[in-house]
């Protein structure tokens, strides 16, 4: 068994599209099931690494340790869910061609421990995202895609600059050798490399001064695809960034800077959502806010906080899938994602799903978001960082304001349309809601795994 | 016209900012000490033993860092696919660049097979001399470009064949990699005899991969050329 | 997570919850939602029987959002927004306090928390955060902004739950955390003084607001705020007698509010009228309801001989014993003023003449409305007669939180060494006087003249015009605002403050939103400028 | 004089200054041109400048291309590092792909909206 199958098989499925043009959706489901099987196969063999093509550390290295396994299984789960959820959409071959490659791009980002290889997967994931943004083929979509491409190109320029500088000064590309040699470099170069990586990945992980494009992109993207951006894409970049950061063993002031940026990002994003009148943009802002929390939690270098952040990543992905997919159903019926449209639908099922999603994102028990938030706060308390605890709670209150405004808008407005949710969608969405409830009530198993994963992440890349 | 009107204050400020940034960047970069031990030199040392390829760049591209190349081929495929989604095929499609010249038509008829042959040569000798899959692929595509330019709308590509080429060459790359993994080695590892340095049939898996890459690139770039040269004229819309 | 423990304190509060829920189960309810009510019930059990702070918090939050969805069935958007923002905010301060406690003591379990090594600054922070939570839940000013609207706009039956039980969770948490977990010795006295005064001020202000109120349920809501204000004041004395007084008042207030809210709910159910100005003259139509209301308001005003007196007596005694003369005066003032709004309830609904011409057509009150009312009345009368009967239970609670038990001298006697009274004697004396007065009136009845129509009030020396609505209760309390101090109290409102906060955040949001609509090119400029600044700072 | 010109460090300096000049020119184009085509072409220029810098920085005086031919029989330290060349080869193809895709988007956008000015793209934003 090879780790490359995680990447090669979805790409293969997309390459061979002409042979099963109209059945690609089934193939995608099969591919994702196959990948889930691989993940299950590797679970008992953790942690492991694999040299690609040349059996020596000089070649590209893939690493599957606890933390990358966490992300790999999360992404496969999300993509499997996505492909099952849209299995009835017959005329959507294009989406599946791109999402398959998108999957392999995201998985490659997680698995690869070679900085240039990471750049390649970074590009694969980004380009699939550009295409997915332009998928609606109207003015709005192309406008979004163009904006995305300009900003994305800037990000890849910075990443490329960082990689080039590292290769120029160190001569190696694997994360572990870069980590070993990083502190032997000239101080200025060290700083420049870190800065380029921060800007390159910061744009993609949607961190404060670099995230002003995000809401527009989410608005332009088809709603279901926006769920993938929120649940998979930004998480993949986030992981890679911190994987590299912890491998490079950056010093405390740099981490503190990231913490501050994360907190600021959280605050500004949640504040912006307060007066927004478009539900899709509100969800985008909420994603930005949660990414801010993740950023500040992941940069703490504390096992408890990081494990909470990993838990939050899972919960946030599930919640955002739920919310965006439900919003998609609303959008199909009401032909708009504005708050007025959101207020006008009648469906007890969808309302429940929205309520559970919101409560979970807010970190309100008994839903899983609470466990994540509690773990993060507990960790900060044990570090003595009470200011951060207070700030997170205060900003969460702002978040609560707009989420409950949406709920009460729907409850107390005149209903103009009744939404009948198809059975398949109903089952799939209920599954997500149950998962959130289950994780909220019985989090221990996952928390233990997250703790292992957090330890691996903070340690940085070490070859097995 | 005053300078302010032609250039604008914002542009000047932007230029100042960027120049300042470049200056800072240069200042930092000039300080750096370039390394003399690197991955590349290590790979050079083992190149003969592990690939028997005369062109070290080819070894790196197709073998040592074959996965990067797979990713790159994927990106190429993805972009062309994305372009294909965006461009609607309709009857109003026409070649927007075309020269109606008999001389060109006849010359092209003679040149086209030669160009394709040359492209194939470049691809096949990627492991022996400068060149390889990308270069050869683009040369082949340039042959098709010539055909489009010469024959205009009367030249028709068989899209079925083209997409089959696209699919099979890409899939072939991955399947070779998987076969290598199944044969017991690493993904994209060498499973064939290496042969003797300098011979056409040498270097094991390398030429095979480069052939797939070359065909893939040729097919993709041809499609790209067709998309761009034969679109609904933007001015019509 | 989810560790439970049966405690005397929990038993008491949970017992009250069970009684209220069971009795309310009989009342007809248009918006009955079994899921949400059972969720609420479970969350209350979770709060009262928790043995670690996280379980408490989980119960607290579930209580918050399940009651949100219950209120959402009837309330308008703004009320809902107020309710949820304040309650979630309160819950988050609770979470903040819990996290602080965890940071200081390293555990969530009650029995493992030890504050001996915690720096006093941290204890102060914890105390303030917790107090914020309790203030929000119990509606202490200025955090009462959400209370009145939510009480008045929620479903009639759920208002009773809100007032009788949910406002008490704040009291419960106060006792649990300050008395049992942190314990008196580590608390800061100045903070408690402030709390005591906040409580009593709240009760005074709320009392006057209630007097000025025209809507029955809003009046009861203000009254609820005022009563919980007393409880908070007396709790902040932190003595064993004061704890007993607080517990006693909690029990009394629970049943008083259960009785009164359902009483008013019954009237609203039959008449569809919420305002005193459209009610009146219902005495002969609903005499039983009237009698139950009288039982309720006598207790609410804290007059002898019913249960309300017993608890007020204990409150006064506790204040006196601790030599809190000023506080006592304030409590007495507020308590005496409370009589005015109690009177309004009687007059506005039952006395005077019906202002609504359809009064005759009102249907009978369904018998099921009487179940909780009679339960409340029976308990109030019992506690008036044998006030000492629950003292042993309170002593159990006092013992469990580490306090000296108070003196117990049989079921009839309540009080301390300092002062005590015999419930049997009091009720006997009042009963005797009541019977005498009743007899007097029965004798007088034959000699009284029945008015012929609503304009026939010639005894007043003034004949109103036909278009004047004659209603004694209408506009009552307006004249109060001529008094300088009271006018000031009434004209001030925290509305403006919270409105300003909300506008401020709205404006900030508008500003930050502008950032998120930058064009790609300006976005690029931002990125490069940011990079340049960081680079410059780093290189320099 | 010619000796100085033929030194590796000098060449590296020239490459660095030259490529960062192109870098600046490209970036100014990206940030101040209004035409979407010009913006994407400028981005392409910026990328090219980085390629130039990277490849140029790995050239050392006296070293040959990493190919065995014409008298060079062995792979050893007398050849330049092949990895940057392979990396740039890969990156160039990526750049081409991205450029093609972005230009297609621009063409499509122009076809639908008749607008090619970046300042007039107002399809997205907060609804009022």
């Amino acid at each position: 068994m090879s780790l490359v199958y995680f990447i090669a098989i979805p790409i293969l499925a997309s390459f061979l599209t002409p042979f099963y043009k109209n059945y690609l959706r089934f193939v995608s489901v099969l591919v994702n099931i196959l990948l889930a099987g691989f993940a299950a196969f590797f679970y008992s063999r953790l942690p492991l690494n694999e040299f690609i093509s040349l059996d020596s550390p000089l070649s590209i290295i893939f690493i599957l340790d606890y933390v990358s396994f966490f992300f790999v299984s999360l992404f496969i789960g999300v993509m499997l869910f996505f492909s099952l959820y849209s299995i009835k959409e017959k005329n959507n071959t294009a989406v599946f061609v791109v999402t398959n490659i998108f999957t392999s791009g995201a998985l490659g980002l997680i698995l690869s421990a070679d900085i240039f290889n990471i750049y390649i997967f970074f590009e694969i994931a980004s380009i699939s995202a550009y295409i997915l943004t332009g998928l609606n083929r109207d003015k709005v979509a192309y406008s979004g895609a163009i904006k995305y491409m300009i900003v994305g190109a800037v990000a890849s320029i910075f990443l490329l600059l960082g990689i080039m500088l590292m290769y120029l000064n160190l001569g190696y590309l694997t994360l572990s050798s870069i980590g070993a040699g990083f502190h032997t470099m000239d101080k200025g170069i060290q700083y420049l490399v870190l800065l380029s990586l921060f800007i390159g990945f910061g744009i993609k992980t949607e961190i404060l001064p670099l995230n002003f494009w995000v809401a527009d992109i989410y608005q332009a993207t088809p709603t279901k695809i926006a769920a993938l951006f929120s649940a998979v894409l930004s998480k993949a970049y986030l992981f890679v960034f911190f994987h590299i950061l912890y491998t490079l063993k950056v010093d405390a002031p740099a981490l503190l800077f990231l913490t501050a940026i994360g907190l600021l990002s959280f605050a500004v994003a949640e504040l912006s959502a307060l007066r927004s009148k478009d539900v899709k943009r509100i969800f985008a802002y909420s994603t930005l806010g949660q990414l801010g929390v993740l950023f500040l939690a992941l940069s703490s270098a504390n096992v408890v906080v990081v494990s909470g952040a990993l838990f939050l990543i899972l919960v946030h992905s599930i919640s955002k899938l739920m919310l965006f997919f439900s919003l998609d159903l609303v959008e199909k019926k009401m032909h708009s994602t504005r708050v007025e449209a959101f207020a006008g639908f009648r469906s007890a099922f969808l309302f429940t799903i929205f309520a559970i999603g919101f409560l979970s994102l807010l970190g309100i028990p008994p839903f899983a978001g609470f466990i994540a938030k509690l773990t993060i706060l507990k960790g900060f308390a044990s570090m003595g960082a009470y200011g951060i605890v207070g700030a997170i709670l205060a900003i969460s209150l702002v978040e609560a304001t707009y989420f409950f405004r949406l709920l009460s808008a729907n409850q107390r407005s005149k209903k103009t349309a009744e939404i009948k949710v198809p059975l398949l969608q109903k089952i799939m969405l209920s599954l997500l809601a149950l998962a959130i409830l289950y994780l909220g009530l019985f989090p221990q198993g996952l928390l233990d795994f997250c703790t292992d994963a957090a330890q691996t992440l903070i340690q940085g890349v070490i070859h097995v | 016209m005053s300078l302010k009107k032609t250039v604008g204050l914002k542009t000047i400020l932007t230029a100042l900012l960027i120049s300042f940034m470049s200056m800072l960047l240069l200042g930092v970069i000039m300080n750096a000490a370039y390394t003399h031990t690197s991955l590349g030199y290590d790979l050079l040392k083992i190149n003969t033993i592990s690939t028997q390829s005369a062109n070290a760049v080819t070894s790196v591209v197709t073998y040592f860092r074959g996965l990067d190349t797979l990713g790159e081929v994927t990106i190429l495929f993805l972009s062309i696919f994305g372009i294909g989604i965006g461009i609607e095929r309709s009857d109003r499609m026409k070649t927007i660049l075309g020269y109606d010249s008999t001389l060109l038509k006849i010359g092209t008829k003679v040149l086209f097979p030669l160009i394709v042959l040359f492209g194939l040569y470049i691809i096949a000798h990627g492991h022996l001399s400068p060149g390889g899959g990308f270069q050869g692929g683009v040369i082949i595509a340039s042959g098709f470009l010539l055909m489009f330019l010469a024959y205009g709308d009367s030249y028709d590509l068989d899209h079925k064949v083209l997409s089959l080429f696209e699919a099979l060459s890409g899939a072939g790359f991955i399947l070779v990699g998987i076969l290598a993994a199944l044969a017991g080695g690493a993904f994209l590892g060498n499973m064939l005899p290496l042969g003797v340095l300098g011979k056409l049939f040498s270097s094991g898996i390398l030429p095979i991969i480069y052939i797939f890459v070359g065909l893939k690139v040729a097919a993709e770039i041809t499609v790209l050329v067709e998309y761009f040269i034969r679109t609904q004229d933007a001015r019509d819309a | 997570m989810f560790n439970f423990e049966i405690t005397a304190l929990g038993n008491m509060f949970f017992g009250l919850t069970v009684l209220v829920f069971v009795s309310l189960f009989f009342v007809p309810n248009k918006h009955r939602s079994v899921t949400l009510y059972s969720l609420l019930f479970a969350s209350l059990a979770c709060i009262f029987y928790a043995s670690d702070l996280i379980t408490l918090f989980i119960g607290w939050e579930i209580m918050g959002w399940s009651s949100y969805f219950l209120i959402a069935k009837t309330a308008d958007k703004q009320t809902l927004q107020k309710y949820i923002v304040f309650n979630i905010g309160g819950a988050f301060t609770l979470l903040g306090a819990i996290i602080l406690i965890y940071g200081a003591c390293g555990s969530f379990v009650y029995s493992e928390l030890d504050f001996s090594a915690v720096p006093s600054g941290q204890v102060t922070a914890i105390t303030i955060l917790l107090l914020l939570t309790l203030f929000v839940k119990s509606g202490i000013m200025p955090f009462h902004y959400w209370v009145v609207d939510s009480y008045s706009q929620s479903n009639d039956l759920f208002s009773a739950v809100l007032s009788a039980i949910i406002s008490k969770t704040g009291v419960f948490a106060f006792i649990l955390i300050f008395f049992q977990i942190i314990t008196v010795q580590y608390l800061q006295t100045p903070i408690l003084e402030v709390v005591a005064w906040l409580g009593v001020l709240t009760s005074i202000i709320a009392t006057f607001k209630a007097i000025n109120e025209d809507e029955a349920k809003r009046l009861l809501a203000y009254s609820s705020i005022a009563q919980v204000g007393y409880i908070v004041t007396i709790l902040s004395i932190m003595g064993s007698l004061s704890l007993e007084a607080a517990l006693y008042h909690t029990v009394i207030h629970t049943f008083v509010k259960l009785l009164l809210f359902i009483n008013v709910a019954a009237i609203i159910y039959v008449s569809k009228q919420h305002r005193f100005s459209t009610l009146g003259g219902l005495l002969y139509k609903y005499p039983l309801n009237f009698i139950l209301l009288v039982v309720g308001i006598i207790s609410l005003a804290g007059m002898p001989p019913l249960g309300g007196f017993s608890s007020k007596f204990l409150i006064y005694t506790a204040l006196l014993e601790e030599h809190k003369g000023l506080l006592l005066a304030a409590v007495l003032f507020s308590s005496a003023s409370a009589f005015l709004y109690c009177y309004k309830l009687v007059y506005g609904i039952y006395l005077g003449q019906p202002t609504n011409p359809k009064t005759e057509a009102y249907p009978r009150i369904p018998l099921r409305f009487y179940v909780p009312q009679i339960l409340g009345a029976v308990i109030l009368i019992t506690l008036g007669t044998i006030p000492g009967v629950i003292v042993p239970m309170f002593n159990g609670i006092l013992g469990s939180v580490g306090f000296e038990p108070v003196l117990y001298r049989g079921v009839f006697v309540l009080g301390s060494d300092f002062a005590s009274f015999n419930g049997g004697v009091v009720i006997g004396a009042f009963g005797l006087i009541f019977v005498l007065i009743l007899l007097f009136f029965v004798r007088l009845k034959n000699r009284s003249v029945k008015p012929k129509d609503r304009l026939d009030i010639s005894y007043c020396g003034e004949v109103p015009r036909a278009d004047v609505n004659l209603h004694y209760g209408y506009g009552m309390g307006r004249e109060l605002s001529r008094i300088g101090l009271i006018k000031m109290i009434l004209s001030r409102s925290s509305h403006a403050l919270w409105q300003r906060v909300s506008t401020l955040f709205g404006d900030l949001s508008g500003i930050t939103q502008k950032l998120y609509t930058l064009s790609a090119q300006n976005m690029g400029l931002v990125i490069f400028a940011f990079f340049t600044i960081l680079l410059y700072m780093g290189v320099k | 004089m010619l000796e100085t010109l033929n030194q590796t460090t000098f060449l590296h300096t020239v490459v660095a200054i030259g490529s960062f000049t192109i870098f600046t020119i490209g970036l100014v184009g990206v940030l101040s041109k209004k035409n979407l085509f010009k913006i994407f072409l400028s981005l392409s220029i910026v990328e090219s400048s980085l390629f130039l810098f990277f490849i140029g920085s790995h050239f050392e005086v006296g070293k040959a291309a990493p190919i065995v031919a014409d008298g060079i029989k062995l792979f050893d330290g007398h050849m330049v590092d092949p990895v940057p060349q392979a990396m740039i080869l890969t990156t160039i193809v990526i750049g081409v792909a991205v450029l093609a895709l972005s230009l297609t988007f621009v063409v499509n956008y122009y076809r639908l909206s008749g607008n090619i000015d970046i300042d007039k793209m107002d399809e997205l934003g907060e609804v009022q």
Side-chain angles (χ1 to χ4, degrees), chain C residues 186-471:
Chain C
Y186 301 116
L187 285 171
Q188 311 272 308
T189 359
I191 296 179
L192 291 174
E193 297 253 315
V194 173
V195 174
W197 278 104
L198 268 178
V200 89
L201 277 178
T202 300
S203 67
I204 291 173
I205 296 172
T207 301
F208 281 101
K209 293 254 183 197
I211 293 170
N212 209 26
E213 193 52 67
D214 186 39
E215 215 181 298
K217 275 168 75 180
R218 289 179 74 88
L219 184 147
L220 288 177
Y222 275 121
S223 144
S224 193
I225 294 175
Q227 301 293 322
V228 179
Y230 295 141
I231 301 180
V232 168
T233 304
I234 196 70
L235 274 175
S236 62
I237 306 288
M238 307 278 299
S240 78
L241 188 63
S242 71
L243 177 55
E244 195 199 5
L247 289 171
Y248 211 118
H249 201 64
T250 304
V251 173
I252 296 294
H253 181 242
T254 300
F255 289 108
V256 168
K257 278 289 138 65
L258 174 66
L259 196 166
L260 289 180
F261 266 110
I262 299 303
N263 193 294
V264 170
I267 297 296
I268 294 174
Y269 181 82
V270 292
S271 69
K272 311 276 181 284
Q273 304 296 331
H274 301 259
R275 298 179 165 275
F276 294 124
S277 44
T278 53
L279 286 163
L282 296 176
L283 172 59
Y284 292 107
K285 200 152 172 71
Y286 307 117
L288 179 57
N289 226 36
F290 172 72
I291 292 168
L292 289 166
L293 178 82
V294 170
V295 172
I297 62 166
I298 289 177
S299 294
L300 183 61
M303 289 181 298
L306 296 185
F309 175 68
S310 318
S311 66
K312 282 277 167 69
F313 179 80
L314 277 181
I315 290 176
Y316 301 148
T317 319
L319 284 172
L320 269 179
E321 209 179 48
E322 295 285 331
H323 307 294
K324 306 273 183 193
L326 267 175
L327 271 181
L328 177 64
V331 170
L332 275 174
F333 175 63
S334 149
S335 192
S337 317
F339 189 74
L340 287 172
Y341 67 73
C342 293
Y343 170 75
K344 193 165 184 171
L345 271 176
V346 178
Y347 232 125
I349 300 176
Y350 293 98
L351 304 185
Q353 266 125 14
T355 43
N356 195 327
K358 281 188 288 187
T359 303
E360 288 306 313
Y362 287 165
R364 232 162 43 86
I365 292 178
L367 280 179
R368 292 187 291 169
F369 271 108
Y370 291 114
V371 177
Q373 293 194 55
I374 287 174
L375 170 77
V378 166
I379 286 174
L380 291 175
I381 293 170
T382 315
L383 287 183
T385 321
I386 42 172
V389 71
I390 50 174
V391 172
M393 187 179 101
F394 291 154
N395 277 341
I397 296 172
L398 260 56
S400 76
V401 298
F403 273 80
E404 291 284 302
V406 295
L407 197 63
Y408 174 61
R409 286 185 306 209
V411 290
F412 283 107
V413 187
L414 184 70
S416 63
D417 297 333
F418 188 69
S420 63
F421 76 100
N422 187 318
V425 174
V426 172
I427 207 157
F430 270 86
L432 191 67
I433 296 167
F434 182 70
V435 168
L436 287 178
I437 295 175
L438 195 66
L439 283 175
F440 178 66
F441 272 103
V442 167
R443 272 187 60 75
L444 271 182
K445 195 178 187 239
N446 299 333
R447 291 207 270 159
S448 65
V449 182
K450 263 208 150 82
K452 291 192 184 63
D453 62 13
R454 57 182 285 272
L455 294 178
D456 178 17
I457 50 167
S458 45
Y459 293 102
C460 298
E462 188 183 349
V463 181
R465 298 190 312 277
D467 59 329
V468 174
N469 241 350
L470 188 66
H471 185 280

Side-chain angles (χ1 to χ4, degrees), chain C residues 176-188:
Chain C
L176 177 78
I177 296 176
F178 290 144
F179 283 77
Q180 190 179 331
I181 294 179
I182 303 184
T183 66
V184 190
Q185 47 182 329
Y186 301 116
L187 285 171
Q188 311 272 308

Side-chain angles (χ1 to χ4, degrees), chain A residues 80-304:
Chain A
L80 177 61
F81 185 87
F82 175 81
S83 50
L84 273 176
Y85 188 89
S86 358
I87 200 164
K88 283 195 171 165
E89 291 167 23
K90 287 199 182 77
N91 304 321
N92 247 350
T93 313
V95 179
F96 288 112
V97 172
V98 185
T99 49
N100 278 339
I101 295 181
F102 177 80
T103 314
S104 58
L107 293 181
L109 272 174
I110 301 304
L111 288 170
S112 184
D114 181 286
I115 188 89
F116 188 68
N117 202 237
I118 286 176
Y119 172 76
I120 301 282
F121 287 115
F122 180 95
E123 287 290 332
I124 292 183
S126 306
I127 295 172
S128 355
Y130 306 148
I131 297 174
L132 288 170
T133 303
L135 219 52
N136 272 353
R137 287 195 256 176
D138 53 12
K139 240 177 11 175
V140 181
Y142 285 128
S143 164
I146 288 171
K147 191 167 188 178
Y148 200 175
M149 290 202 84
I150 295 176
V151 179
V154 171
S156 61
I157 285 170
F158 276 110
L159 183 57
L160 201 57
L161 181 66
I163 292 170
M164 285 173 173
L165 288 175
M166 278 196 264
Y167 189 78
L168 272 178
N169 289 282
L170 288 174
Y172 290 91
L173 290 168
T174 45
L175 284 183
S176 51
S177 44
I178 289 172
F182 184 69
H183 289 278
T184 62
M185 293 198 308
D186 178 63
K187 277 272 180 265
I189 293 283
Q190 273 185 38
Y191 184 77
L192 184 56
V193 165
L194 276 185
L195 198 56
S196 319
L197 288 180
F198 169 64
I199 303 279
F201 279 107
I203 292 172
K204 291 289 180 177
T205 50
E206 303 165 10
I207 282 309
L208 182 64
L210 314 171
N211 66 5
F212 299 142
W213 50 278
V214 182
D216 284 354
I217 303 307
Y218 276 63
Q219 195 185 355
T221 312
T223 313
K224 273 199 304 194
I225 303 295
L228 296 185
F229 288 2
S230 176
V232 175
L233 192 58
S234 49
K235 307 289 166 50
Y237 294 129
L238 195 67
F239 165 76
V240 178
F241 181 52
F242 281 99
H243 209 198
I244 295 175
L245 218 56
Y246 281 119
T247 306
L248 297 187
K249 304 220 166 17
V250 296
D251 44 1
L255 286 178
L256 199 66
F257 173 73
L258 294 183
T259 309
I261 289 271
L263 196 59
L264 208 61
S265 176
F266 184 31
V268 172
E270 300 297 4
L271 211 56
S272 305
L274 209 53
R275 236 172 55 172
S276 186
K277 294 201 175 58
D278 189 309
V279 182
K280 215 155 139 189
R281 284 184 83 94
I282 291 181
F283 288 177
Y285 291 133
S286 145
T287 303
L288 291 180
Q290 297 289 328
L291 284 171
V293 176
L294 290 174
F295 213 77
L296 98 104
L298 285 174
S299 62
S300 67
N302 174 305
V303 175
V304 181

